[in-house]
Amino acid sequence: MLQLDVKTIYFLVGLFATTTGLVLFALSTTGRFDRWLKYWGISNIATGSGILLLTFRDIIPDFYSIVLANMLAIIGYYLLMATTQRLYHRRRIAVKPHLLFLGILTVLFILMRDADSYYAERTVLTALTCGFYAYCVAKSTLRIARKEDITSAYLVSGIFTVATVVFAMRAIAGLTHHLGGDSVFASGGVNMWTILLAAIIGPLWNMSMLLMIMERINRNWIGRALRDPLTSALNREGLKAAIENNSMRRQSDAHPVTALLLVDIDHFKQVNDKLGHAFGDQLLCTFADIVHHQLRSSDLFARQGGDEFVIILPASGEKEAQDVAERLQNSFAHATEKLKQDGLSITLSIGIAVAASDQIAHSLNSLMEQADSALYQSKHHGRNRITSAQAA
């Protein structure tokens, strides 16, 4: 019967991580993915290579099997953290503090490179550092799960939370000298359990990361199909899909009414004729930015076509809709103040309609007609007005 010792388990874990990293890195060279895939691949290669070097302890110089092995494993976790933070923030993280920290760690490992000494101290340093980076991954993926409603990101966050706990246990065991032996290949105590858990967690987090990223890509592609490419507002199909979404129904069910605003930019044709279509597009984007800053996360914003937009305010009545409309008019007037120098008075005409929340999905067309009639009254009575369907 085949029996695996600790060194063999380490070797298999390192081999799996390295192979996975090479596959991911190869995929990143196709140009179909963002840089995060390359970072993820390199992180696996670094961690796997470090673990593989570890298994050659007493065969190769201690510098390679201790200093380089530990630092490669730590750098792998750092790159994984950088990958997830880039996925969440979509910007680069501060590199210099981490490079300084990693440089200090390298010096410490060089000073403690004797294989027969400092085993517990090296274990504590590696466990604390990798545990910190695992915690950062768990935190970033939890934010992705909550902000973007990606189910698989909860799984990734859970797995890295477990990894954080495992590293914390290993660090405590090192501090209290309860690792179960005086070597990384000792077959008892906490040392044995942590490497077995690593053998399980490693493949799991790579598979869960892949699920999260594929779900995210799928959401992005669907989102692009349902959004106006110029303003990032929903298009007509996107508005319909959002209204039918369960999350909106849950919010609407708890409140009796929902308001709809139909907004039109006054004299928009004059802007295109006098300043050009490029400036007109810029004006539409300016309006969209104002709306995005004014609305709640539960509100819906869609472009009907041209310079006409729809805003749906769940759990809001006529008064709340009037308040939102006035804020939009004031903000837009401030943003277009300079256009008066060109003889253009660009304002907003708005029509408001209110309906029962539980009827929105079934009566959207009727509600749009009511708001359109109110908008017509705003236009007819001199523009730059807010008219309610109740008074139209």
Side-chain angles (χ1 to χ4, degrees):
M1 181 177 178
L2 180 63
Q3 291 185 347
L4 299 179
D5 59 9
V6 175
K7 181 178 284 191
T8 305
I9 297 173
Y10 267 109
F11 182 83
L12 293 175
V13 170
L15 184 63
F16 176 84
T18 304
T19 304
T20 302
L22 290 171
V23 172
L24 293 172
F25 186 81
L27 285 173
S28 71
T29 62
T30 62
R32 298 180 180 179
F33 303 93
D34 199 357
R35 289 183 179 179
W36 51 258
L37 188 65
K38 183 183 292 185
Y39 297 152
W40 182 20
I42 295 174
S43 74
N44 271 277
I45 293 171
T47 301
S49 299
I51 296 172
L52 287 175
L53 282 174
L54 188 69
T55 62
F56 289 92
R57 182 72 55 82
D58 300 328
I59 299 175
I60 59 177
D62 289 346
F63 176 83
Y64 299 104
S65 65
I66 293 178
V67 180
L68 188 58
N70 280 284
M71 288 309 303
L72 280 173
I74 289 171
I75 289 170
Y77 275 86
Y78 161 70
L79 290 173
L80 193 59
M81 181 219 42
T83 300
T84 53
Q85 291 204 357
R86 187 173 178 84
L87 279 170
Y88 175 67
H89 296 290
R90 292 190 175 277
R91 64 174 184 267
R92 293 182 179 180
I93 63 172
V95 176
K96 289 183 179 179
H98 291 281
L99 291 180
L100 177 61
F101 174 65
L102 293 174
I104 294 172
L105 278 181
T106 302
V107 173
L108 291 174
F109 279 118
I110 290 174
L111 295 175
M112 297 186 294
R113 67 181 180 275
D114 183 9
D116 298 325
S117 307
Y118 306 111
Y119 164 56
E121 290 81 358
R122 292 195 302 265
T123 299
V124 171
L125 275 178
T126 303
L128 288 176
T129 306
C130 292
F132 169 73
Y133 286 137
Y135 166 77
C136 292
V137 173
K139 187 177 178 181
S140 294
T141 50
L142 181 60
R143 287 175 174 173
I144 291 172
R146 289 175 174 173
K147 184 178 180 180
E148 302 181 26
D149 193 26
I150 296 179
T151 306
S152 53
Y154 284 106
L155 177 60
V156 179
S157 181
I159 290 172
F160 276 95
T161 299
V162 172
T164 303
V165 173
V166 171
F167 280 122
M169 291 170 55
R170 189 169 175 82
I172 292 170
L175 288 169
T176 58
H177 301 285
H178 286 85
L179 286 168
D182 56 359
S183 167
V184 70
F185 302 124
S187 59
V190 173
N191 185 61
M192 183 67 178
W193 283 107
T194 52
I195 185 55
L196 287 174
L197 286 171
I200 297 170
I201 291 174
L204 281 179
W205 81 40
N206 275 296
M207 288 188 289
S208 62
M209 282 274 291
L210 182 61
L211 284 173
M212 179 188 75
I213 289 169
M214 294 306 296
E215 184 178 352
R216 202 167 189 260
I217 290 173
N218 188 48
R219 287 283 184 91
N220 287 340
W221 278 109
I222 293 174
R224 289 180 185 179
L226 299 178
R227 290 191 177 275
D228 170 53
L230 177 64
T231 62
S232 295
L234 296 168
N235 56 27
R236 294 186 183 186
E237 287 300 315
L239 180 63
K240 181 180 177 182
I243 289 173
E244 294 173 351
N245 186 278
N246 288 331
S247 62
M248 182 178 176
R249 285 207 300 269
R250 286 195 298 270
Q251 291 173 358
S252 298
D253 288 345
H255 301 83
V257 293
T258 290
L260 183 147
L261 281 66
L262 199 59
V263 185
D264 189 85
I265 300 177
D266 299 321
H267 307 297
F268 183 71
K269 186 176 183 302
Q270 294 181 18
V271 174
N272 283 333
D273 293 342
K274 191 168 184 178
L275 301 177
H277 288 276
F279 189 89
D281 288 345
Q282 183 180 342
L283 184 64
L284 292 174
C285 292
T286 298
F287 171 71
D289 288 340
I290 290 171
V291 175
H292 286 305
H293 281 92
Q294 291 286 347
L295 299 187
R296 304 165 298 182
S297 60
S298 59
D299 299 334
L300 299 178
F301 173 52
R303 185 182 181 188
Q304 279 292 96
D307 59 330
E308 190 171 270
F309 295 85
V310 179
I311 298 171
I312 294 181
L313 309 174
S316 300
E318 187 172 323
K319 183 182 182 304
E320 291 85 357
Q322 287 275 356
D323 291 341
V324 170
E326 289 174 6
R327 291 202 304 269
L328 290 177
Q329 282 188 330
N330 292 333
S331 297
F332 191 68
H334 178 72
T336 58
E337 182 72 27
K338 292 182 178 179
L339 290 178
K340 291 181 179 179
Q341 300 173 4
D342 297 309
L344 296 171
S345 179
I346 309 303
T347 55
L348 299 179
S349 291
I350 302 174
I352 298 174
V354 178
S357 295
D358 57 0
Q359 296 298 315
I360 290 294
H362 306 291
S363 60
L364 179 62
N365 290 335
S366 174
L367 194 63
M368 290 280 290
E369 290 175 2
Q370 295 177 45
D372 189 54
S373 296
L375 175 62
Y376 174 79
Q377 293 298 322
S378 292
K379 292 279 191 181
H380 183 69
H381 289 95
R383 297 183 172 86
N384 194 28
R385 293 176 178 270
I386 302 167
T387 306
S388 170
Q390 299 289 337

